Amino acid sequence: MQESYIENKKIFQKVIGEIIKKHRKQTGKSISLLSAEIGMTKSMWADLEKGIKDPQLSTLWRICEGLNLNISEILKEIEETLGENFTFTE
């Protein structure tokens, strides 16, 4: 069970990163600019986009504000991308 959780967490983080990156590119803003606008380090933002970090909800909220999105939009996109069968539990 632990292996499944770890693997699913990696998938989850990767999906979040891909979605954040997609929306950042749509804004035409760099990591440097957006991270400065929301008070986050460039390395933290880059790690999120790479799927290395698992953002706290408050961090994800700040990112959404920087991208001019509602948090519900990002959460829905994450949910749709992962699919209805995705779970952290068995």
Side-chain angles (χ1 to χ4, degrees), residues 1-30:
M1 181 164 146
Q2 182 67 14
E3 290 176 20
S4 174
Y5 168 75
I6 292 169
E7 188 58 35
N8 284 351
K9 185 174 179 181
K10 289 178 185 178
I11 293 166
F12 181 75
Q13 289 173 197
K14 186 174 188 279
V15 166
I16 290 173
E18 291 169 352
I19 291 170
I20 289 169
K21 185 175 185 175
K22 177 186 80 170
H23 285 285
R24 178 184 59 78
K25 289 188 173 229
Q26 288 174 347
T27 69
K29 294 181 178 181
S30 67

Side-chain angles (χ1 to χ4, degrees), residues 72-90:
S72 60
E73 294 175 76
I74 290 286
L75 293 175
K76 183 169 179 61
E77 194 169 345
I78 292 167
E79 202 172 31
E80 289 172 352
T81 303
L82 290 171
E84 62 184 49
N85 294 325
F86 181 84
T87 182
F88 283 109
T89 60
E90 295 190 31

Side-chain angles (χ1 to χ4, degrees), residues 49-62:
E49 282 194 5
K50 292 175 191 171
I52 296 170
K53 298 280 186 184
D54 186 1
Q56 295 180 349
L57 186 57
S58 59
T59 301
L60 191 57
W61 194 294
R62 286 174 33 220

Side-chain angles (χ1 to χ4, degrees), residues 63-76:
I63 289 168
C64 289
E65 288 178 343
L67 297 170
N68 294 316
L69 298 169
N70 293 322
I71 188 116
S72 60
E73 294 175 76
I74 290 286
L75 293 175
K76 183 169 179 61

